[in-house]
Amino acid sequence: MPLPKFDYLEPKTVQEAADLLAEHGEEARIFAGGTDLLVLMRERVIRPKYLIDIKGIEELCELSHDEEKGIKIGAAVTLNQLIESDVVRERFGALWNAANSIADPTLRNRATLVGNICNASPAADSAPALLIYDAEVEVASKRGERTIPVQEFFTGVKHTSLKRGEVVKAVRVPNPPRGARGDYLKWGRTRGEDLAVVGVAALAANSGKIVRVALSSVFKTPVRVFEVEKIFEKGGPTNERIDEAVSAVLNRISPISDVRGGKEYRMHMTEVLTRRALSKLLGVGGD
Amino acid sequence: MSRHKISFSVNGERYELEVEANQTLLRLLREDLGMTGTKCACERGDCGTCTVLLDGEPVKSCLVLAVEADGRGVTTIEGISKGGEITPLQRAFIEHGAVQCGFCTPAFIVAGEALLKRNPHPTEEEVKEAIGGILCRCTGYRQIIDAIMDASKKGEK
Ligand SMILES: Cc1cc2nc3c(=O)[nH]c(=O)nc-3n(C[C@H](O)[C@H](O)[C@H](O)COP(=O)(O)OP(=O)(O)OC[C@H]3O[C@@H](n4cnc5c(N)ncnc54)[C@H](O)[C@@H]3O)c2cc1C
Ligand code: FES
Ligand code: FES
């Protein structure tokens, strides 16, 4: 079936994109890699009258690293560009692994990180990593600019705290604590090209005093489990703290049953993956 | 609906055309330019049989708008062999029986050529990763992986 009809718009600046969004309101959609958008349009789930392609906006193509501020990922940066970055691979391991777990390399030549979070699927694979790294979302509209902590970005299934007329310019990810190691473990039905049954991002630093865990596909939004952090701050034998952390995670999530797995299976795999991720990062015997 | 004048090349040949906004690159190639080597199946990014190279990088052309090809170069299966000679990769596909019904073959050749250009000596893992977005319902992939590995070894000599 052909795509429904629309006008294709090509702003050259963020200002122009914001003006177009203000002018066309709900009838317009930002078009980045199109890997979510075009699929939904073909299935007639959404029928925007205007597509605003942001890939021609130079400012949004920026992927940079700053020793003070961390990395900045422009809205037009593809997942493959992110994967090719040495800084991301070496210092933001959870994000790098997450990007590698999305779809397949061909799709990643088009799909963007910002598109992944704006689509706001509970299964968005990049989201747990952004949550544990305390990322921030830079947003512009005709009214001005603002920054949204990623913790406040996801508000429900396919819902974000973006307001009408707002376009995401970039995601900023501050440098993780010194010596931090991060990982993202994704459990799917197949090794590639499927959304997660559950995904677990974890980070450990400061000899196991700083530990963070966030998950995809097991709650109505991607979710960071802050209770885990308190458990590790207070110290004690690592194995016991991992057990407590696993319980805290299971208490926090509420997975649904769908084609990818039942609720019970999701609970079980969450336990397995959380334990596996933490055991590996904290250097103790896992399963 | 908006219409757009685009100027782009397919397999080295230049085209100046007018396309409608909702035209995909896949349909432009198959329906307007008559290049039916690139296959159309799911049209939702799942199967990969529509894979072409856009400025040398593999993309799924069902999820690329025709207007986005403006000013760029597209390579399809029709442009892979040069001067009537098949490439070592194409020969390896024949030798390994990596073609059964053939529906997926153009995509695997196009993606395989792009991989070998970027990484002439891939490991088996790298081959599997690179073709991970393309489905084959016939071969079970073994022959396809062997063919790409074999072509990469032949390039070594
Ligand atoms: C075959 C296939 C496999 C997939 N596998 C996975 C997977 O394993 N894991 C996963 O998480 N996802 C997966 N996806 C979903 C999708 O590829 C990703 O979510 C991708 O990162 C989306 O990015 P995009 O640039 O293509 O977004 P687009 O489709 O361009 O946009 C997605 C949404 O975000 C909005 N948007 C985009 N950019 C902005 C912006 N700057 N400001 C405001 N709104 C914006 C758009 O309007 C749209 O609503 C898959 C999709 C397909 C087709
Ligand atoms: S037709 Fe494009 S991925 Fe299936
Ligand atoms: S040979 Fe038939 S689908 Fe691959």
Side-chain angles (χ1 to χ4, degrees), chain A residues 61-76:
Chain A
C61 300
E62 179 186 342
L63 171 60
S64 58
H65 179 251
D66 180 304
E67 276 308 325
E68 302 272 289
K69 293 190 200 144
I71 46 172
K72 180 176 175 182
I73 305 160

Side-chain angles (χ1 to χ4, degrees), chain A residues 29-37 39 54 75 79 101-103 107 110-112 114-116 118-119 123-125 162 166-168 186 193-195, chain B residues 44-46 63:
Chain A
R29 284 285 185 136
I30 299 289
F31 172 57
T35 61
D36 278 313
L37 193 64
V39 172
I54 54 167
L79 291 168
S101 81
I102 296 177
L107 212 85
R110 297 270 300 166
T112 61
V114 169
N116 190 232
C118 288
N119 186 57
D125 279 307
L162 285 179
E166 284 185 326
V167 52
V168 174
K186 173 176 174 178
E193 257 206 320
D194 195 15
L195 297 180
Chain B
R44 43 169 298 146
D46 285 325
L63 295 181

Side-chain angles (χ1 to χ4, degrees), chain B residues 99-105 135-139:
Chain B
V99 182
Q100 288 187 29
C101 78
F103 193 80
C104 66
T105 315
L135 296 181
C136 173
R137 301 306 303 269
C138 306
T139 65

Side-chain angles (χ1 to χ4, degrees), chain A:
Chain A
M1 209 195 321
L3 289 167
K5 295 186 159 88
F6 57 86
D7 283 352
Y8 173 81
L9 306 168
E10 252 178 312
K12 289 283 169 245
T13 62
V14 173
Q15 187 62 49
E16 272 175 57
D19 287 347
L20 288 168
L21 269 182
E23 184 184 339
H24 298 301
E26 296 286 277
E27 295 193 319
R29 284 285 185 136
I30 299 289
F31 172 57
T35 61
D36 278 313
L37 193 64
L38 297 183
V39 172
L40 293 174
M41 284 171 64
R42 193 174 323 268
E43 288 168 1
R44 305 313 196 249
V45 178
I46 52 170
R47 295 184 85 135
K49 291 219 177 94
Y50 303 90
L51 287 198
I52 304 172
D53 189 347
I54 54 167
K55 297 192 288 296
I57 303 175
E58 220 184 292
E59 183 190 343
L60 302 187
C61 300
E62 179 186 342
L63 171 60
S64 58
H65 179 251
D66 180 304
E67 276 308 325
E68 302 272 289
K69 293 190 200 144
I71 46 172
K72 180 176 175 182
I73 305 160
V77 173
T78 65
L79 291 168
N80 275 349
Q81 288 171 320
L82 194 66
I83 289 166
E84 277 156 26
S85 154
D86 291 336
V87 181
V88 176
R89 194 184 65 243
E90 286 158 17
R91 310 232 335 235
F92 299 84
L95 184 59
W96 192 80
N97 286 344
N100 268 292
S101 81
I102 296 177
D104 63 76
T106 306
L107 212 85
R108 296 199 290 265
N109 273 332
R110 297 270 300 166
T112 61
L113 174 98
V114 169
N116 190 232
I117 62 166
C118 288
N119 186 57
S121 162
D125 279 307
S126 72
L130 296 177
L131 285 167
I132 59 169
Y133 289 126
D134 283 321
E136 291 181 329
V137 185
E138 284 184 0
V139 172
S141 73
K142 227 182 151 171
R143 302 180 295 276
E145 309 208 340
R146 67 179 179 124
T147 298
I148 311 171
V150 78
Q151 315 294 346
E152 292 161 23
F153 189 74
F154 303 105
T155 54
V157 177
K158 298 250 164 191
H159 285 286
T160 67
S161 49
L162 285 179
K163 297 206 185 90
R164 186 187 282 228
E166 284 185 326
V167 52
V168 174
K169 290 200 325 183
V171 168
R172 279 195 182 274
V173 194
N175 291 317
R178 233 164 235 303
R181 298 198 304 138
D183 204 353
Y184 180 67
L185 300 183
K186 173 176 174 178
W187 190 256
R189 293 174 300 179
T190 56
R191 246 187 56 194
E193 257 206 320
D194 195 15
L195 297 180
V197 167
V198 51
V200 180
L203 171 149
N206 193 12
S207 325
K209 287 259 168 46
I210 299 177
V211 173
R212 300 177 193 157
V213 172
L215 304 98
S216 62
S217 292
V218 286
F219 195 67
K220 63 183 194 304
T221 60
V223 59
R224 173 162 157 186
V225 185
F226 285 98
E227 292 79 0
V228 168
E229 290 156 47
K230 292 182 208 115
I231 293 165
F232 282 92
E233 272 161 24
K234 68 179 202 272
T238 306
N239 275 321
E240 280 170 28
R241 285 186 287 169
I242 291 177
D243 286 342
E244 274 184 67
V246 169
S247 304
V249 166
L250 295 177
N251 277 333
R252 181 75 176 87
I253 63 175
S254 62
I256 58 161
S257 297
D258 67 7
V259 289
R260 294 190 178 80
K263 181 180 163 73
E264 294 75 16
Y265 180 58
R266 281 202 155 94
M267 290 295 274
H268 176 69
M269 288 317 299
T270 300
E271 174 168 354
V272 173
L273 256 65
T274 304
R275 194 177 295 284
R276 190 175 291 167
L278 291 179
S279 304
K280 196 173 135 210
L281 288 176
L282 297 167
V284 296
D287 54 356

Side-chain angles (χ1 to χ4, degrees), chain B residues 26-125:
Chain B
L26 173 61
R27 291 202 178 215
L28 176 72
L29 292 169
R30 287 179 56 87
E31 293 167 11
D32 295 15
L33 304 183
M35 297 185 193
T36 53
T38 306
K39 299 305 174 203
C40 174
C42 71
E43 288 197 278
R44 43 169 298 146
D46 285 325
C47 76
T49 59
C50 64
T51 302
V52 301
L53 306 184
L54 189 59
D55 289 340
E57 297 287 345
V59 295
K60 298 188 179 182
S61 60
C62 66
L63 295 181
V64 177
L65 298 178
V67 41
E68 294 184 79
D70 188 30
R72 309 179 74 176
V74 178
T75 308
T76 69
I77 185 65
E78 286 87 351
I80 295 292
S81 68
K82 295 272 158 16
E85 279 287 313
I86 60 172
T87 65
L89 181 64
Q90 289 174 312
R91 190 173 309 282
F93 265 62
I94 298 170
E95 284 165 5
H96 284 269
V99 182
Q100 288 187 29
C101 78
F103 193 80
C104 66
T105 315
F108 279 110
I109 297 286
V110 165
E113 295 285 0
L115 169 69
L116 295 181
K117 191 157 183 207
R118 183 166 34 84
N119 177 2
H121 305 295
T123 62
E124 183 164 325
E125 266 315 298

